[in-house]
């Protein structure tokens, strides 16, 4: 019943792939989606969370409701796939498979409009700016769940680490909280041959990096988990000057707000201590930009039950340390984030790699999973 939808859906997916747009700039993408949804006769709301779209499909008489979410944005990466439908926008690329998410959710809408094997309301959320800019947060802030109430919300992500055909999720944490820290160590700058007169921000930055790498090992209980990575150091411009300023940038990933507090506090204290020891001043900017993605236990079980009707359902043994702004939707509504395996037998390219491409072989499975979630949660009274 779904197979006849696939050929045009794959063509649609590849068209979106060829015309990628960055967060909050998804004008063409959103326009094409809205046009398709209107053709289906759905009630379509544009401009929800800037470039986001909500479509509403009602059937029957029950007051029950469900939300399904797909993200629409691409990444600032130069594509290197050499595919015939490769990006036509230099430096912008669907390297996270959101083109596939859009196509799968549209396919679910197409199928549900004609099958109508449910009783209640389905909300289709096409969200902007997942890649770091908080498009989901924007939609929630604009009253998404007040305007379009949902008993459950589900978000699907293509997952190259799992084989095609496998669908995985878990109760509780599934994706990490993402924080960014930026530190500026400031001295005076001076001659490299007279270090006794110049506080050395380069030496202090080395101490900082080494101390930071002890935080998780020494301050976080072994049974908890966290990642801290220093990813940038900027300082100096020539061999005979001790620079006045060195900047250190990095990220912290956690699942537990208590662990997050301990790490932020340690970063601030170590920075203050190292700066004092080296006669420097320090400024710390610590930004908690995405919270952890925490699945509701019942919703995760619902997802696994629905998954088992269409593919191989797997209870994921552990969460991933990458982050996801679907977290903001799960803070506002019970639901679950689900991984749709898309690994290829010849080996998989990781997400955000310039050679990545959504695997069209799982497009039908993604449509079926969306449909199964709806038909299960909004089952007609027998
Ligand atoms: Zn991504
Ligand atoms: Zn993604």
């Amino acid at each position: 019943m779904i197979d006849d939808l696939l050929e045009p859906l794959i063509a649609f997916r590849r068209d979106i792939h060829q015309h990628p747009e960055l967060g909050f700039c998804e004008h063409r993408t959103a326009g094409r989606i809205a046009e398709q949804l209107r053709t289906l006769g759905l009630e379509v709301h544009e401009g929800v969370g800037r470039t986001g779209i909500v479509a509403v499909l009602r059937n029957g008489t029950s007051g029950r409701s469900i939300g399904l979410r797909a993200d629409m944005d691409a990444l600032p990466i130069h594509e290197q796939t050499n595919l015939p439908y490769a990006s036509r926008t230099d430096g912008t690329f669907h390297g996270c498979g959101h083109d596939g998410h859009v196509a799968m959710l549209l396919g679910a809408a197409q199928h549900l409009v004609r099958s109508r094997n449910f009783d209640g309301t389905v909300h289709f959320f096409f969200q902007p700016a997942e890649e770091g800019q908080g498009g989901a947060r924007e939609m929630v802030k604009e009253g998404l769940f007040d305007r379009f109430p949902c008993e459950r919300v589900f978000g699907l992500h293509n997952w190259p680490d799992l084989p095609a055909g496998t669908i995985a999720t878990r109760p509780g944490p599934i994706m990490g909280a993402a924080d960014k820290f930026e530190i500026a160590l400031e001295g005076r700058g001076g001659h490299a041959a007279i270090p006794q007169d110049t506080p050395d921000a380069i030496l202090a930055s080395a101490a900082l990096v080494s101390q930071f790498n002890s935080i998780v090992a020494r301050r976080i209980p072994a049974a908890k988990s966290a990642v801290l990575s220093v990813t940038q150091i900027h300082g100096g411009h020539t061999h005979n000057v001790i620079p006045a300023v060195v900047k250190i940038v990095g990220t912290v990933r956690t699942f537990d707000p208590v662990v997050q507090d301990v790490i932020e506090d340690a970063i601030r204290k170590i920075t203050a201590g190292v700066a004092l020891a080296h006669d420097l001043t320090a400024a710390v900017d610590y930004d908690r930009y995405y919270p952890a993605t925490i699945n509701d236990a019942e919703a995760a079980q619902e997802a696994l039950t629905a998954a088992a009707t269409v593919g191989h359902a797997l209870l994921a043994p552990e969460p991933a340390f990458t982050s996801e702004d679907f977290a903001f939707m799960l803070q506002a509504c019970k639901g679950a984030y689900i991984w749709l395996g898309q690994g290829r037998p010849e080996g998989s390219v990781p997400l955000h790699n310039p050679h990545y491409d959504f695997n069209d072989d799982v497009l039908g499975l993604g449509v079926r999973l969306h449909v199964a979630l709806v038909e299960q949660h909004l089952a007609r009274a027998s």
Side-chain angles (χ1 to χ4, degrees), residues 213-235:
N213 276 284
S214 75
I215 294 175
V216 173
R218 299 291 83 187
R219 300 192 196 217
I220 304 304
K224 302 267 184 186
S225 47
V227 173
L228 184 159
S229 290
V230 176
T231 51
Q232 297 177 47
I233 298 185
H234 300 283

Side-chain angles (χ1 to χ4, degrees), residues 75 96 98 130-131 157 352:
L75 287 158
C96 204
H98 298 180
E130 191 288 319
E131 298 288 357
H157 205 295
H352 292 206

Side-chain angles (χ1 to χ4, degrees), residues 53-312:
I53 298 170
V54 177
V56 185
L57 174 61
R58 296 186 185 86
N59 197 55
T61 53
S62 99
R64 310 204 63 192
S65 57
I66 188 171
L68 302 170
R69 168 277 203 172
D71 38 12
M72 305 186 287
D73 58 322
L75 287 158
I77 296 177
H78 181 75
E79 178 166 2
Q80 293 173 31
T81 61
N82 290 321
L83 289 162
Y85 52 89
S87 170
R88 288 190 183 169
T89 310
D90 202 29
T92 305
F93 162 52
H94 271 293
C96 204
H98 298 180
D99 48 345
H101 299 170
V102 164
M104 291 189 293
L105 191 54
L106 190 64
Q110 289 170 343
H111 180 76
L112 289 164
V113 161
R114 65 185 188 186
S115 65
R116 294 189 177 264
N117 184 24
F118 64 94
D119 188 3
T121 302
V122 186
H123 294 123
F124 301 92
F125 300 143
F126 292 88
Q127 80 145 80
E130 191 288 319
E131 298 288 357
Q133 291 164 288
R137 177 176 49 210
E138 210 65 23
M139 291 182 96
V140 171
K141 238 196 313 192
E142 284 185 18
L144 184 71
F145 293 110
D146 301 323
R147 292 173 66 191
F148 311 102
C150 298
E151 294 167 347
R152 292 277 187 279
V153 65
F154 294 98
L156 207 57
H157 205 295
N158 69 112
W159 212 247
D161 294 344
L162 291 169
T166 295
I167 298 160
T169 190
R170 67 196 306 279
I174 184 156
M175 302 285 281
D179 306 347
K180 178 185 177 187
F181 59 85
E182 281 188 51
I183 292 161
L185 292 171
E186 191 163 357
R188 286 192 300 275
H191 204 295
I194 320 170
Q196 68 273 23
D197 288 348
T198 308
D200 191 347
I202 293 272
L203 180 59
S205 72
L208 215 57
V209 173
S210 123
Q211 289 283 306
F212 282 180
N213 276 284
S214 75
I215 294 175
V216 173
R218 299 291 83 187
R219 300 192 196 217
I220 304 304
K224 302 267 184 186
S225 47
V227 173
L228 184 159
S229 290
V230 176
T231 51
Q232 297 177 47
I233 298 185
H234 300 283
H237 60 278
T238 187
H239 80 284
N240 58 357
V241 174
I242 295 174
V245 181
V246 174
K247 283 199 170 146
I248 296 122
V249 179
T251 187
V252 173
R253 306 297 168 107
T254 53
F255 300 110
D256 179 339
V258 176
V259 171
Q260 200 176 16
D261 288 345
V262 169
I263 294 178
E264 179 180 348
D265 182 61
I267 284 178
R268 291 184 183 280
K269 282 182 176 153
I270 289 169
T271 304
V274 166
L276 181 72
H278 290 261
D279 206 15
L280 299 159
T281 57
V284 179
D285 184 24
Y286 195 96
D287 180 20
R288 302 183 178 205
Y289 64 94
Y290 283 172
T293 305
I294 312 285
N295 283 342
D296 175 74
E298 248 176 82
Q301 188 48 56
E302 255 181 59
L304 287 168
T305 307
T309 66
V310 295
H312 170 59

